[in-house]
Amino acid sequence: MKVLFDHDRLFEALPETLEKTGPNAGRMRWQIEEFIRVLGLLPVAMGRKEYFNAITGVFHLRNLLVDLLIEETGAPHRGGALHLNRLITADQKELLASLPPLTPTRGSVISAHLAYAAAYLPRAREMAERLGIEWPRRFELATWGHLKHQLEVEPPYSLRRP
């Protein structure tokens, strides 16, 4: 690349490379809490038989999972939205491919929410520990209690801390 227009000589002030900043702890905390919040809305959609809207909820969970996977790799330059293949590892791609397909049925939607919870929450807990983020344990436990009471589902991973 060649600078064509820079009357204020801003290009000279730019560093050769950008420093690796790592994940943003505040944003990561928000993402974790958002994942738990969306997961906790599952009984609302099921009670209303809003299976199409519940699929939208799964897409939201998927986007949060993809964001977490990208953070795990520490990709310095993300590029556009259509560059996921170069941002995540082969194992992460396998994880995404293993998640259940979606159909607008009660069973499919519940299975998908549980599968995404199993894929996301343990990994997010590890990331939170690395970043020194306090895990929202009470929120997580309350959400699983609510899901058990409303839908008779159990967490698809251990809630016990290692």
Side-chain angles (χ1 to χ4, degrees), residues 31-49:
Q31 287 180 348
I32 292 165
E33 291 175 354
E34 179 68 358
F35 190 98
I36 296 170
R37 183 188 73 80
V38 172
L39 180 64
L41 291 173
L42 180 59
V44 174
M46 295 302 92
R48 295 177 182 167
K49 298 183 180 172

Side-chain angles (χ1 to χ4, degrees), residues 31-32 34-42 57-66 68-69 95-96 98-100 102 108-126 135 140 143-144 147 153-159:
Q31 287 180 348
I32 292 165
E34 179 68 358
F35 190 98
I36 296 170
R37 183 188 73 80
V38 172
L39 180 64
L41 291 173
L42 180 59
V58 175
F59 287 143
H60 194 51
L61 297 179
R62 180 192 179 283
N63 288 336
L64 292 167
L65 174 60
V66 167
L68 177 63
L69 296 176
L95 170 66
L96 289 175
S98 74
L99 293 166
L102 294 171
S108 173
V109 168
I110 291 173
S111 294
H113 275 74
L114 295 176
Y116 277 88
Y120 181 90
L121 289 167
R123 294 176 93 104
R125 180 180 285 143
E126 290 175 16
W135 185 255
E140 178 187 27
T143 299
W144 284 114
L147 292 171
V153 298
E154 297 286 341
Y157 59 92
S158 173
L159 291 174

Side-chain angles (χ1 to χ4, degrees), residues 70-134:
I70 293 170
E71 288 295 344
E72 286 179 350
T73 66
H77 303 290
R78 293 189 178 191
L82 300 178
H83 293 285
L84 184 60
N85 280 329
R86 67 179 172 86
L87 297 177
I88 62 174
T89 67
D91 287 343
Q92 291 171 327
K93 290 174 194 173
E94 281 184 38
L95 170 66
L96 289 175
S98 74
L99 293 166
L102 294 171
T103 57
T105 64
R106 179 181 174 87
S108 173
V109 168
I110 291 173
S111 294
H113 275 74
L114 295 176
Y116 277 88
Y120 181 90
L121 289 167
R123 294 176 93 104
R125 180 180 285 143
E126 290 175 16
M127 176 71 75
E129 287 174 9
R130 282 195 305 274
L131 297 175
I133 299 170
E134 182 180 349

